Amino acid sequence: MKIQVPKEINPQVEAKLQSSIKVEYDSAAIYEGMSAWLDSQGFNNTSKWFKTHANEERKHGSWVITFLEDKNVMPIIPSVDAPDYSWKSLRDVLEGAYKHEEKVSANWNEAATIALKHADHDGYQFALKMLAEQREEIDLFSTLIDKYNLSEGGPHSDYTFDRDIKHP
């Protein structure tokens, strides 16, 4: 007979974290798609920036998986949605990425609320860690947009922006 180790997590928190794996991995796919589109348009440095950020998102998904495993929960690895590739400009990509980060932040805020509601303090602390990451990402994307806005004006401003951009 197997010895069963009980799950150490509230079921509602578990469900939210399971769905959050997809949020993080979909983010990676979106940024990989943005990277590919940017590369196809000749924005090589911005493409590398987004490829680097896609790897960050995969790392965040791995954090969720590890957290669940540490709670004796089998993480369910989801399929990811393909990006829509409907971007029409560098500006469109940057604005889309920022809006996406706002959605991811809302997801982690909801996870924190659910964990707190169910007195799952460890889950709450994990969600707060992810929210801290989101604050960093919102700031990162906000700074990227600020740099873009400062470079606007000339006929080659998008390429000037691309020339100077590097992921921290």
Side-chain angles (χ1 to χ4, degrees):
M1 176 179 233
K2 284 174 108 177
I3 300 173
Q4 292 292 330
V5 178
K7 293 180 181 180
E8 300 172 9
I9 192 169
N10 175 279
Q12 285 80 17
V13 175
E14 176 187 347
K16 185 61 180 174
L17 293 181
Q18 292 283 11
S19 69
S20 295
I21 296 170
K22 181 168 179 49
V23 169
E24 295 296 336
Y25 284 161
D26 280 348
S27 296
I30 289 167
Y31 296 143
E32 283 286 353
M34 288 176 166
S35 174
W37 186 87
L38 289 160
D39 188 65
S40 76
Q41 301 299 307
F43 299 116
N44 299 338
N45 285 333
T46 312
S47 171
K48 289 176 189 170
W49 193 100
F50 275 90
K51 187 170 285 293
T52 298
H53 205 73
N55 290 330
E56 288 285 318
E57 298 301 335
R58 276 188 279 283
K59 181 174 76 172
H60 298 161
S62 293
W63 289 352
V64 182
I65 290 168
T66 299
F67 181 83
L68 289 171
E69 290 170 338
D70 289 348
K71 294 296 188 177
N72 301 316
V73 172
M74 173 68 185
I76 307 303
I77 310 305
S79 59
V80 297
D81 296 333
D84 66 8
Y85 294 97
S86 63
W87 310 291
K88 299 194 180 350
S89 65
L90 176 57
R91 170 186 290 283
D92 202 22
V93 169
L94 298 175
E95 288 174 351
Y98 186 84
K99 287 176 186 171
H100 178 73
E101 287 300 327
E102 288 180 319
K103 290 178 188 175
V104 175
S105 294
N107 174 74
W108 285 111
N109 192 51
E110 183 180 339
T113 300
I114 292 168
L116 192 58
K117 175 183 175 186
H118 294 288
D120 185 333
H121 300 292
D122 205 22
Y124 178 66
Q125 288 299 315
F126 180 75
L128 290 180
K129 171 187 169 181
M130 297 304 284
L131 277 170
E133 276 296 311
Q134 282 308 118
R135 277 192 305 279
E136 288 177 16
E137 292 192 10
I138 290 287
D139 183 57
L140 182 66
F141 279 90
S142 178
T143 300
L144 190 66
I145 289 170
D146 287 346
K147 288 179 182 179
Y148 178 83
N149 288 337
L150 287 171
S151 73
E152 272 191 317
H156 305 290
S157 59
D158 284 2
Y159 292 100
T160 302
F161 169 82
D162 181 69
R163 179 194 67 206
D164 296 335
I165 200 68
K166 291 178 181 54
H167 198 282

